[in-house]
Amino acid sequence: MRAVLAIDQGTTGTTCLVIDERGQVRGRAYAELPQHYPAPGLVEHEPEEIWASVLGAGRTALAAAEREAGGAGAGGLDVACIGITNQRETTILWDRATGAPLGRAIVWQDRRTADRCRELRGQGLESFIRNRTGLVLDPYFSGTKVEWLLDHLPGARERAARGELAVGTVDSWLIWRLTGGAVHATDPTNASRTLLYDIDLLDWSDPLLRTFNVPRALLPDVRPSSGAFGVADASLFGKALPITGVAGDQQAALYGQGCWRAGHAKNTYGTGAFLLMHTGADRVASGAGLLTTVACGPRGEPAYALEGSIFIAGAAIQWLRDGLRILDSAPESATLAASIRSNDGVYFVPAFVGLGAPHWDAEARGTIVGLTRGSTRAHIVRAALESMAYGTRDVLEAMVADSDVHLADLAVDGGAAQNDWLMQFQADILDVTIRRPRMVESTALGAAGLAGLAAGIWSEPGEFVAARPEPTVFSPRMRAAERATLVRGWTRAVKAALAWAGEQEQEQENEQENG
Ligand code: ADP
């Protein structure tokens, strides 16, 4: 029985899974990753700690799989290749000769290059950048992080000019270390998050490299997400293992959910919600502030997706539990929501940190409307759950409007997707079937699928999907009139949140004018 070692190097830790050709998890391990916050707005990772977490979790997962299989050779579990998926955008600069990092990794959450982004925007470069990359000019992405590392780490500029350095996202860093410095590579999904990669040409862009002052020689080779990325040295995991699949975490999750074609979408309901909708070979530009990004087609070949995020999703439930304390546990929210027959007109817009796509208002704040003397905690809890479904609907509507793609169904994962009441309500509000896989690690599964295809474990992507157990399905059953009424109520509530923010902005402007 052949198997893949899937490495999921995430922001807070590394998960490694050994997944066999039937899609079963045979070994698993998790290693936490220390976070470094040197100053407000700065978030860093130690590259050596990233590497140590991967090596540690990888070895533990393999050992667990071997134990389960009854010792080496017995049980015949043959781990044949490695798939890598990773936190995206996080940027590392290292020495080609020694493999030593020049400093800490700048994590995607880090805001240190906000001024530089404003400066570039001031030069009118936003649409030029958006046209080539599908992204917005924001510190979130790698471009200004690379520039910052080159300008601030001692000697970096000169050494880069001499060809002594390499830069990369976490996937590249891991490939470099796994292959003992033999391969400096990345894949198109990771490259498409750097602001340096032209998503039409599928190559690093010289005009963008000039804009961000990045020498091309520093950058990794971009290879297909499912294909050869070199061989991990035998000293690391007990035998030489080819690395044959690489993708950024959200794109890997999309692939792992079996979303390879136009109209297939997945939503991850975690702290926030991350929505990606595949648009096939068509690159769709968004009019509603969504990102366009490179995703994987059926065989891992480059394709496109629209991406949108909702800042607060499961976090609203967390707030009701830990902040307001009107909930004992997150799962209790389902029982409470089901305890009332209707929302009775109560809506909760959890815009704690502003509203993202498609409304984009940084000043909007959390708003609860429609309260009466009869409202109970069940109404507030239900309204929090409902808000995740409406927010998802708003983003998906924008995606469909942008792309003309018909939404086939919605695959879901993440902590709050375990809530059956929410999933049924989501199916009802979208009038779309929801598929929730039994195996929750779609990210690692995606990396395993990409790697296993290239290594010949599966000959067709369909085989890899067939290997998974049947998902739980939620079918829409709400009447259209009821859906329309509910959505109208939500839209009014969002208007209220926006109006409240707008009036405050107006007041601030007036105050400034009056000195
Ligand atoms: P992240 O990866 O962003 O930390 P997870 O995917 O682990 O998030 O999901 C955790 C989030 O999901 C928390 O915000 C939590 O409040 C929410 N959550 C977990 N279980 C449920 C549930 N049964 N119903 C509603 N929300 C839930």
Side-chain angles (χ1 to χ4, degrees), residues 164-449:
E164 294 173 16
L165 305 182
V167 79
T169 40
V170 169
D171 53 316
S172 297
W173 169 244
L174 295 179
I175 293 166
W176 181 278
R177 278 297 172 97
L178 288 166
T179 62
V183 179
H184 186 212
T186 187
D187 89 299
T189 67
N190 275 295
S192 76
R193 313 298 294 185
T194 60
L195 286 176
L196 305 173
Y197 187 73
D198 187 314
I199 64 169
D200 289 317
L201 303 177
L202 297 172
D203 190 11
W204 301 117
S205 155
D206 288 320
L208 288 169
L209 295 179
R210 275 195 297 277
T211 303
F212 293 100
N213 302 307
V214 179
R216 195 182 253 262
L218 236 60
L219 294 167
D221 189 22
V222 186
R223 304 187 180 180
S225 304
S226 182
F229 288 88
V231 179
D233 194 85
S235 63
L236 300 172
F237 296 123
K239 79 183 231 201
L241 287 174
I243 305 163
T244 52
V246 174
D249 53 11
Q250 294 304 323
Q251 287 96 330
L254 191 68
Y255 191 80
Q257 285 273 21
C259 302
W260 311 321
R261 295 203 162 84
H264 288 203
K266 72 97 199 168
N267 194 15
T268 303
Y269 301 78
T271 305
F274 258 111
L275 262 123
L276 270 81
M277 186 171 88
H278 214 287
T279 59
D282 292 330
R283 178 200 164 171
V284 175
S286 171
L290 305 166
L291 305 177
T292 309
T293 203
V294 176
C296 295
R299 300 206 129 267
E301 69 277 21
Y304 298 96
L306 283 167
E307 177 172 325
S309 31
I310 298 164
F311 302 139
I312 301 291
I317 295 299
Q318 232 165 10
W319 176 70
L320 295 180
R321 190 192 59 193
D322 306 338
L324 282 197
R325 297 175 191 270
I326 60 170
L327 203 53
D328 290 330
S329 70
E332 192 202 2
S333 62
T335 321
L336 274 171
S339 74
I340 46 179
R341 283 200 14 247
S342 130
N343 68 8
D344 293 320
V346 178
Y347 292 89
F348 178 8
V349 185
F352 298 150
V353 293
L355 281 171
H359 311 288
W360 294 109
D361 191 319
E363 305 304 324
R365 289 294 176 268
T367 305
I368 299 178
V369 299
L371 295 174
T372 66
R373 186 67 181 78
S375 303
T376 64
R377 72 183 177 119
H379 288 94
I380 310 242
V381 168
R382 178 169 170 142
L385 289 179
E386 287 192 1
S387 78
M388 294 190 227
Y390 299 129
T392 299
R393 180 183 183 278
D394 288 347
V395 173
L396 278 173
E397 290 272 297
M399 287 181 170
V400 170
D402 277 339
S403 64
D404 263 349
V405 168
H406 177 72
L407 184 66
D409 55 13
L410 181 67
V412 299
D413 49 45
Q418 295 313 309
N419 187 313
D420 287 354
W421 187 89
L422 171 59
M423 291 302 106
Q424 182 57 50
F425 188 75
Q426 183 71 84
D428 287 341
I429 284 300
L430 291 176
D431 197 21
V432 155
T433 300
I434 304 284
R435 284 191 291 120
R436 183 179 67 198
R438 284 179 210 278
M439 181 180 158
V440 292
E441 289 101 341
S442 1
T443 313
L445 207 57

